[in-house]
């Protein structure tokens, strides 16, 4: 909920502006996006990867996969960002999650944590903080 509030308050736009004005941050974000296809390939069983790379569209549809599945898996960054647009900030939730899972490879995550802390949100976590997440609440 708190990240959604940040997005509504303009943090997404401010993060994009920082990326556009800081070549080092921009490079780090591009690296983060470009590393996602390899991460996906590592997480997906190899037989599925082979199928995605070689299957005809009708074969993918037969197993309820979009013909775009291979393109998404192998040719997009975090949250489906085109690798041609790897300097774009699209969703603070995704960047925060990526940062929490992979660390400093994603330069937007620390900015989100900084903004959350600036809003008075306890970013240290507790054994009860999970109760603040409302999975029933939509975006």
């Amino acid at each position: 909920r708190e990240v959604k509030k940040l997005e509504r308050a303009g943090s997404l736009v401010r993060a994009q502006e920082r990326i556009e004005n800081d070549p080092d941050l921009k490079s780090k974000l591009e690296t983060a996006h470009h590393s996602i296809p390899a991460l996906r390939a590592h997480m997906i069983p190899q037989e599925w990867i082979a199928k995605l790379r070689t299957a005809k569209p009708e074969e993918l549809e037969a197993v309820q996969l979009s013909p775009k599945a291979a393109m998404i898996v192998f040719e997009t960054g975090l949250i489906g960002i085109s690798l041609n647009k790897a300097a774009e900030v699209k969703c603070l939730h995704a960047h925060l999650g990526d940062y929490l899972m992979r660390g400093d490879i994603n330069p937007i995550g620390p900015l989100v944590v900084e903004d959350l802390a600036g809003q008075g949100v306890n970013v240290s976590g507790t054994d009860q903080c999970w109760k603040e997440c409302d999975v029933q609440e939509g975006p």
Side-chain angles (χ1 to χ4, degrees), residues 92-107:
L92 296 183
H93 294 87
H95 289 284
L96 178 59
D98 186 47
Y99 166 68
L100 292 173
M101 293 302 296
R102 298 193 305 152
D104 287 336
I105 192 167
N106 189 320

Side-chain angles (χ1 to χ4, degrees), residues 37 40-41 44-57 59-61 63-75:
R40 288 184 188 123
I44 297 171
Q46 291 303 305
E47 62 270 14
W48 292 12
I49 289 177
K51 187 70 164 174
L52 282 172
R53 290 191 192 277
T54 61
K56 296 177 183 165
E59 293 172 318
L60 292 173
E61 289 171 351
V63 293
Q64 298 180 335
L65 282 174
S66 165
K68 292 182 181 180
M71 185 274 300
I72 292 167
V73 169
F74 302 119
E75 299 175 26

Side-chain angles (χ1 to χ4, degrees), residues 14-127:
R14 285 190 298 279
Q16 186 65 54
E17 289 170 352
R18 285 186 70 178
I19 292 297
E20 291 169 4
N21 293 310
D22 185 329
D24 186 50
L25 278 180
K26 180 179 179 181
S27 176
K28 288 179 179 175
L29 180 60
E30 290 171 339
T31 297
H33 278 300
H34 282 274
S35 69
I36 293 293
L39 178 63
R40 288 184 188 123
H42 178 74
M43 294 171 35
I44 297 171
Q46 291 303 305
E47 62 270 14
W48 292 12
I49 289 177
K51 187 70 164 174
L52 282 172
R53 290 191 192 277
T54 61
K56 296 177 183 165
E58 57 273 11
E59 293 172 318
L60 292 173
E61 289 171 351
V63 293
Q64 298 180 335
L65 282 174
S66 165
K68 292 182 181 180
M71 185 274 300
I72 292 167
V73 169
F74 302 119
E75 299 175 26
T76 67
L78 189 63
I79 54 175
I81 282 255
S82 166
L83 294 179
N84 296 332
K85 298 179 180 181
E88 288 189 14
V89 180
K90 191 171 176 182
C91 171
L92 296 183
H93 294 87
H95 289 284
L96 178 59
D98 186 47
Y99 166 68
L100 292 173
M101 293 302 296
R102 298 193 305 152
D104 287 336
I105 192 167
N106 189 320
I108 300 302
L111 301 178
V112 177
V113 170
E114 182 180 299
D115 284 351
L116 288 169
Q119 295 296 318
V121 175
N122 178 354
V123 294
S124 300
T126 68
D127 61 346

